[in-house]
């Protein structure tokens, strides 16, 4: 019996185990390496090591003309490349003083929101796999396939689009696109209910994800965590609503934030996951409005050519990508090549909070927490 | 709606900083996206601490811009106020060969990784940073890639670097298209 | 087996072979063993195919379609050939003898247990008077192989998987063993043949439908604990691929890997077979008088289907939740069942 005041000498000496999780591990979502210090199944410390996918895209940008860098932005957050395209193009347009036509802006938002849905579906599916349920992944991919087909109709690519260009978009919608999009908007809410039934409110899943990896709003803000991860902690911040760009001011949508209704604390893994499921609905709403509001007209600003912003102009463009606040800081020296393109990748800040929230959790929770942060290594390492 | 609608949201805070710090703030500029506080490098940390107390609670990014002709580097930070939807930017000039400012890691935890990245790629050192190591490049990498005079090594652990086969400096001029 | 031993001399003499009578039982043993091994191999192949096909349909896709025609029914044969041809890699730092040894206990444990499975009244290798106990005992051998594999691989993930397997085995052997007791109390025998025979007379006489339904509860517990002891989802922690890459068999490849693989499917068959013998009336049909090995196989197949269904639907539990369920939920419930059933049997 362990009575108070009595210390027990353990005759079995246990040791800390240092485990190298990644860069090749099924649940690190790419080439993240986490150095775990564990005591049995309990994780004492986790140190993320990044950079395995580093290509120094920012250096590449300095050697290209502005428009040529668009395809590189696809390869940053490769699951929602449209959002990266948009962020970069808006940043360049901002310093070069270009205004894209209204139809192009609507097309941009349509593709970005479609891509956000695709990205959240991937997050949903892989989170299922992280917690051991494989089937949700295939369910998510069923609808993601429809989106990829739509985007393929539009620009021929399924993952790295480069559809959004400086001054507008690459091409107008092909015939049949809007009908297919409407069809998708109609069926998708039912599918979201299906996902929720299958995974979100599954008892085991909730038990697995509730109360782990609790990220308080203060910690989240201190670490610069943005996007669904920040909103999961109850902070209602969304650049699309707070500092709207493009045509977002004309669109109505909610910004879902984390709750405690599921019986767990604010900012736990389930909350972060559930925000994404809610955002699927919001993005569908935005799509619906865009399809209704989209005017006819040109899709490219006139006389854009090779962009040549004035010397010593700079601009920092904040946009809300699927993973959070994507920033492009573009500085021009008056030539056709930027002097500096700095990418502020949301996942970079999001993963930096990992050591803070995995301490004391079980090994299986580490996987569930990394999954709930929904990182893309392409943009962390750039 | 252009994004510049929020560009001036940091103006009152910038002015109150100016009245507090006086000479340490060289200029208040308005660029297309933000209000930029141009400051003395020595005041880097105290002005950030002031802005944090003003309500700019999120450090969004830290970047360095290399101006090789002027022989200076800009160190630029971007801050957000998550409650009041304000934004502000702070900029300072440092000499290229002594690019050094105080670390903000004690103000914002986010600064830890952003400063490591800035150190890794641009070679800016941050005084008082708890763990200033390379973050994206391997620890034994030489040079800082985002410096304009950076030359990539020909070989890294026996792997040939094809980038150096392209002569970037003597490329034909890019024709303008308007 | 004894029937076979009696029957063999007749066959042999008809075909003109003379075998010393002392060798007849040995021959019968070999025959039985090879028939069982062939059955096991075949059923594992069929189950792998069935699981892939079912999983495909659960996931809105088709599963294998190319190998062997429309339904891809030769897929597992192709897989088997592939596994046979693959290189058997042993890591440099592994404990070589143990690493080589580890797959055998796993397979042997499951194979041995099949001796006592009553496929029908006649069709069983041998009828132990302690059949149920024997099956439980040899099933436990499997975990030695798993722990050996985890330890000998010299891989931290494999070791963690092995530790999890040990924890899980300890937590679930007890409810599994106890879940059998109500049946034993009812049938008053540990022999599987007697237990099945006691359930003759239609579906209402199957133990699972016997009032006061203590056995129905213990059937559920047996099934859940069986899933856990097979390391099937949602209890697949020892080999949780998203956490431990592949758990205890991370370092295994080729044929040695397929041993673990085969043992899992054979184990599914075994647990389903034992469950249908213990609770679902074994070879007895739904209506009185129906008796056939096909009934037994149908019930077993149904239970396997449920296992596959569960695997492709549910997320995985966490190790503390597994232990919690094992000790704090299943064990008290099954103890209550044992007490209740004993009281019922005494008072009735």
């Amino acid at each position: 019996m362990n009575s108070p005041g009595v210390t027990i000498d353990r005759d079995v000496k246990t040791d800390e185990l240092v485990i190298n999780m990644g860069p090749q591990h099924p649940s690190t979502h790419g080439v993240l390496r986490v150095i775990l210090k564990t005591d049995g199944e309990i994780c004492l410390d986790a140190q993320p090591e990044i950079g395995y996918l580093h290509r120094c895209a920012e250096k590449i940008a300095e050697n290209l003309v502005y428009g040529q860098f668009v395809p590189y932005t696809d390869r940053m957050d490769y699951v929602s490349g449209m959002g990266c395209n948009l962020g970069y193009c808006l940043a360049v347009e901002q310093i070069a003083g270009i205004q894209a036509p209204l139809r192009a802006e609507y097309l941009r938002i349509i593709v970005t929101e479609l891509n956000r849905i695709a990205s959240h579906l991937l997050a949903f599916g892989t989170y299922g796999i992280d917690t051991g349920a494989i089937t949700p992944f295939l369910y998510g991919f069923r609808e993601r396939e429809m989106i990829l087909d739509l985007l393929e109709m539009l620009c021929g690519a399924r993952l790295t689009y480069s559809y959004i260009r400086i001054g507008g978009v690459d091409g107008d919608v092909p015939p049949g696109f809007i009908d297919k999009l409407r069809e998708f908007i109609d069926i998708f809410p039912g599918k979201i209910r299906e996902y929720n039934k299958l995974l979100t409110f599954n008892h085991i899943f909730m038990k697995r994800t509730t109360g782990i990896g609790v990220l308080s709003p203060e910690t989240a803000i201190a670490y610069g965590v943005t996007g669904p991860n920040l909103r999961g902690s109850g902070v209602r911040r969304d650049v699309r609503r707070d500092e709207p760009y493009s045509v977002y001011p004309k669109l109505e949508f909610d910004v879902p934030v984390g709750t405690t209704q599921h019986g767990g604390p604010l900012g736990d893994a389930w909350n972060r996951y559930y925000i994404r499921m809610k955002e699927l609905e919001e993005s569908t709403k935005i799509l619906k409005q865009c399809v209704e509001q989209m005017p006819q007209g040109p899709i490219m600003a006139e006389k854009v050519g090779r962009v040549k912003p004035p010397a010593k102009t700079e601009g920092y463009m904040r946009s809300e990508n699927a993973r959070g606040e994507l920033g492009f800081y573009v500085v021009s020296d008056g030539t056709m090549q930027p002097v500096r393109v700095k990418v502020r990748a949301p996942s970079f800040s999001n993963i930096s909070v990992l050591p803070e929230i995995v301490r004391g959790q079980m090994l299986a929770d580490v996987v569930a927490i990394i999954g709930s942060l929904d990182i893309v290594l392409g943009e962390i390492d750039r | 709606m252009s994004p510049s609608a929020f560009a001036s949201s940091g103006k009152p805070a910038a002015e109150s900083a100016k009245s507090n710090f006086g000479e340490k703030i060289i200029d208040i500029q308005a660029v297309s996206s933000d209000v930029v506080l141009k400051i003395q490098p020595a005041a880097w940390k105290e002005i950030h601490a002031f802005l944090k107390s003003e309500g700019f609670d999120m450090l969004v990014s830290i970047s360095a811009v290399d101006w090789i002709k002027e022989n200076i580097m800009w160190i630029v930070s971007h801050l957000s106020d998550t409650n009041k939807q304000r934004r502000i930017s702070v900029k300072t000039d440092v000499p290229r060969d002594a690019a050094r400012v105080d670390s903000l890691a004690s103000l914002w935890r986010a600064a830890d990784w952003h400063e490591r990245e800035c150190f890794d790629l641009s070679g800016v050192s941050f005084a008082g940073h708890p763990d200033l190591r390379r973050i994206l490049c391997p620890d034994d990498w030489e040079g800082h890639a985002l410096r304009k005079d950076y030359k990539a090594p020909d070989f890294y652990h026996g792997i040939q670097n094809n980038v150096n086969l392209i002569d970037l400096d003597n490329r034909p001029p890019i024709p303008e298209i308007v | 087996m004894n029937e076979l031993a009696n029957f063999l001399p007749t066959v042999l003499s008809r075909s003109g072979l003379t075998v010393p009578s002392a060798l007849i039982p040995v021959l019968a043993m070999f025959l039985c063993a090879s028939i069982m091994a062939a059955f096991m191999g075949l059923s594992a192949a069929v189950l792998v195919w069935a699981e892939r096909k079912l999983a495909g349909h659960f996931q809105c896709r088709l599963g294998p379609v190319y190998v062997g025609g429309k339904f891809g029914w030769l897929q597992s044969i192709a897989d088997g050939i592939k596994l046979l041809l693959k290189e058997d890699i042993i890591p440099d730092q592994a404990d070589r003898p143990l690493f080589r040894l580890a797959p055998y206990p796993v397979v042997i444990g499951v194979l041995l247990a099949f001796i006592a499975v009553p496929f029908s009244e006649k069709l069983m290798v041998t009828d132990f008077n302690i059949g149920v106990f024997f099956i439980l005992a040899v099933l436990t051998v499997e975990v030695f192989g798993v722990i050996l594999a985890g330890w000998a691989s010299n891989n931290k993930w494999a070791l963690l998987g092995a530790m999890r397997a040990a924890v899980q085995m300890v937590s679930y052997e007890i409810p599994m063993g106890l879940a059998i007791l109500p049946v034993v109390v009812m049938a008053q025998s540990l022999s599987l043949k007697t237990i099945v025979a006691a359930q003759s007379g239609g579906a209402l006489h199957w133990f699972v439908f016997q009032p006061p339904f203590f056995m129905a509860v213990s059937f559920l517990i047996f099934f859940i604990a069986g899933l856990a002891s097979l390391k099937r989802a949602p209890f697949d922690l020892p080999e949780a691929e998203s956490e431990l890459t592949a758990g205890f068999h991370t370092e295994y490849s080729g044929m040695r890997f397929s041993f673990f693989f085969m043992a899992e499917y054979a184990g599914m068959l075994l647990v389903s077979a034992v469950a249908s013998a213990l609770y679902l009336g074994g070879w007895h049909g739904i209506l009185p008088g129906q008796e056939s090995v096909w009934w037994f196989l149908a019930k077993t197949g149904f239970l396997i289907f449920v296992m596959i269904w569960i695997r492709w639907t549910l997320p995985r539990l966490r190790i503390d939740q597994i232990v919690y369920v094992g000790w704090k939920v299943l064990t008290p419930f099954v103890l209550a069942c044992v007490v209740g059933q004993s009281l019922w049997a005494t008072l009735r």
Side-chain angles (χ1 to χ4, degrees), chain A residues 18-19 25-27 41 129-132 134-135 138-139 142 202 207-208 212 362-365 367, chain C residues 58-61 156-157 160 164 234 241-245 312-321:
Chain A
V18 178
I19 310 181
H25 186 276
S27 309
E41 285 272 342
I129 291 188
D130 286 344
T131 50
I134 300 162
T135 304
L138 276 297
Y139 275 56
R142 192 181 52 193
N202 179 299
K207 282 268 177 211
R208 274 295 305 278
I212 61 162
M362 309 284 275
L363 197 61
D365 294 338
V367 170
Chain C
F58 284 137
Q59 299 181 336
C60 327
R61 53 190 179 89
K156 288 167 181 172
W157 297 113
L160 274 172
R164 284 180 173 189
E241 72 269 19
S242 62
E243 292 155 27
L244 307 180
T245 53
W312 296 103
T313 311
L314 294 181
R316 186 184 303 121
L317 288 133
R318 198 166 53 204
I319 187 74
D320 57 326
Q321 292 166 344

Side-chain angles (χ1 to χ4, degrees), chain C residues 138-182:
Chain C
V138 292
L139 255 184
T140 327
V141 175
E142 190 189 351
V143 78
F144 288 111
V146 170
I147 294 173
L148 270 185
W151 175 255
S153 302
N154 198 5
N155 176 318
K156 288 167 181 172
W157 297 113
L159 183 61
L160 274 172
M163 291 195 310
R164 284 180 173 189
V167 169
Q168 204 166 309
M169 190 55 94
V170 170
S171 316
Y172 280 84
E173 278 300 302
I174 290 164
M176 194 169 168
L178 287 174
I180 292 172
L181 281 185

